[in-house]
Amino acid sequence: MLDKDKYLAIKKLAQNIRNDNEKLFKTLAKEEVAEAVKNKDEFINETIKKMDIHFSEGDEGKEENQMLRANILIPDDKEFFTSYSNDKNIRNLMNKYAVSIEDIMSKITELNLYGNYASETKEEPKEELDFVSEMTKLSPKQAETLLDEIENLSDVVEEVISEKEEVKAESFEDMTDAISGFLNEYDETKKEYKSQKDQVKKLEADLAKLKEENKELEKSLTLIKNENKKSDEKQIKLTTDLEKAKEENKSLKEENKDLQAKLEKSSQLLRKIYDSIKK
C-alpha cells in the first residue's frame, strides 16, 4: 500500500494530465469502445515516456502505475462511486468508461484502500465517498453476481472464485485480497497472451515466407513443364522427320535398284552391239 503523500502526488499528477488533455478525451468519447480503449492505452504509455515518469521498483511501482492510469482514465471518484453503487456489473462499467478490466479493478482497489484519503483531493465530504461501506454491504447474491461477472471476463479469475467459499462474508479485507490477487493473475495472463500473440505473429510471418517460396517453386515448375512440352514437341517433329527421311531413303533405294537393272540391261545391249561390230 502506498503512503499518503505518494498517493496524493500521483492523484494530483493524474488530474493535471487529464485536465491538459481534456479535448483529446472528449474526442475519444465519440469512438467505439474497443478503439477508445486502445487509443487511451497508447496515450498513457506515450505520456509516461514523454514526461519521463519513473515508478518505484517491484510491486510498489506496479501499484503506482495502476493508480496513475486509473485516475487519468476515471478522474471523478464520486461519479464512479455512484455508478458502481447503481450497477456493480464489471462489463457495464468497462463499456461506460471505455477502459479495460484492469483499469476498472484498479479503480475499485484504489477506492477500497485509499477511500480515507479521498476528501483530501475532492471538495465533497468524506462520508459521501464511503466506498468501503458500499463494498461490504453487498448481499451474498450480489457478491456472487459480481464474482461471476469477473469470471466471465477472464478465465484467470478461477483462483479467486475458488476462494469464495472461504470469504462468504465478503468483508472489506477479503474482497481487497481477492481483487489484488485477480489483478496479479490478470497481469500474468496478459504477459502470456502477448508472448503467445508474438509467437503466432512469427509463425504467420514464417508461413507467409513459405508461401512466397512455394509460389516461386510453382513458377519454376511451370517453366520446366513448358520447356519439357517444347522438347517433347521437338522430339515428335524430329521423329516424324526421321520417319519421312526413312521413307524417302527407301524410295530412293527402289529407284536406284531400278536404275541399276536398266544400267545392267544397257551394258548387255552395248556389249552385244560391240561384239556384232567387231565380227
Side-chain angles (χ1 to χ4, degrees), residues 15 20 25 85 93 107 125 153 212 217 237 253 256:
Q15 183 181 3
D20 290 343
F25 280 93
S85 300
L93 292 172
K107 195 66 179 179
L153 292 170
E212 286 299 320
L217 288 174
K237 185 176 184 302
K253 283 183 177 181
N256 185 56

Side-chain angles (χ1 to χ4, degrees), residues 51-67:
M51 296 181 68
D52 197 22
I53 299 173
H54 295 284
F55 301 107
S56 303
E57 297 293 331
D59 292 339
E60 184 175 354
K62 180 179 177 181
E63 185 176 2
E64 291 169 2
N65 190 319
Q66 291 172 339
M67 291 302 101

Side-chain angles (χ1 to χ4, degrees), residues 260-276:
Q260 188 68 28
K262 289 179 179 179
L263 181 60
E264 185 66 27
K265 287 181 180 180
S266 295
S267 295
Q268 291 176 1
L269 180 59
L270 288 172
R271 186 175 294 278
K272 287 180 179 181
I273 294 173
Y274 177 76
D275 290 341
S276 296

Side-chain angles (χ1 to χ4, degrees), residues 31-86:
E31 297 181 344
E32 295 292 332
V33 173
E35 188 67 19
V37 171
K38 177 184 175 182
N39 290 334
K40 287 178 181 179
D41 187 63
E42 291 178 353
F43 164 75
I44 291 179
N45 291 335
E46 290 176 0
T47 298
I48 291 175
K49 183 178 180 180
K50 183 170 62 176
M51 296 181 68
D52 197 22
I53 299 173
H54 295 284
F55 301 107
S56 303
E57 297 293 331
D59 292 339
E60 184 175 354
K62 180 179 177 181
E63 185 176 2
E64 291 169 2
N65 190 319
Q66 291 172 339
M67 291 302 101
L68 180 64
R69 285 182 58 92
N71 280 282
I72 292 174
L73 298 175
I74 311 175
D76 194 330
D77 293 347
K78 182 178 178 181
E79 193 277 334
F80 180 80
F81 171 76
T82 301
S83 296
Y84 178 83
S85 300
N86 294 333

Side-chain angles (χ1 to χ4, degrees), residues 159-275:
E159 183 178 348
V160 178
I161 299 300
S162 67
E163 295 174 357
K164 189 176 66 173
E165 294 300 323
E166 299 176 9
V167 291
K168 288 184 178 178
E170 296 299 331
S171 64
F172 160 65
E173 292 182 357
D174 290 332
M175 177 60 93
T176 298
D177 290 341
I179 292 174
S180 297
F182 169 79
L183 289 175
N184 291 335
E185 292 292 339
Y186 181 73
D187 285 343
E188 291 301 319
T189 300
K190 280 181 66 178
K191 291 178 183 178
E192 183 179 352
Y193 172 74
K194 185 179 183 303
S195 176
Q196 292 178 348
K197 188 176 181 180
D198 290 342
Q199 186 177 2
V200 169
K201 188 175 181 180
K202 182 179 182 302
L203 290 174
E204 289 177 341
D206 291 342
L207 179 60
K209 183 178 179 181
L210 289 173
K211 285 183 177 179
E212 286 299 320
E213 292 177 352
N214 185 61
K215 189 175 181 180
E216 292 300 320
L217 288 174
E218 288 179 346
K219 288 181 179 178
S220 298
L221 180 60
T222 300
L223 182 62
I224 292 172
K225 285 182 178 179
N226 290 336
E227 291 296 329
N228 287 341
K229 183 178 180 181
K230 290 179 180 180
S231 296
D232 290 340
E233 291 173 351
K234 187 175 181 180
Q235 183 65 34
I236 292 173
K237 185 176 184 302
L238 289 173
T239 301
T240 302
D241 291 343
L242 179 60
E243 292 297 326
K244 184 177 181 182
K246 286 181 179 180
E247 290 296 326
E248 291 177 351
N249 185 55
K250 183 179 179 181
S251 177
L252 288 173
K253 283 183 177 181
E254 291 294 332
E255 291 178 2
N256 185 56
K257 186 178 180 179
D258 291 339
L259 290 173
Q260 188 68 28
K262 289 179 179 179
L263 181 60
E264 185 66 27
K265 287 181 180 180
S266 295
S267 295
Q268 291 176 1
L269 180 59
L270 288 172
R271 186 175 294 278
K272 287 180 179 181
I273 294 173
Y274 177 76
D275 290 341

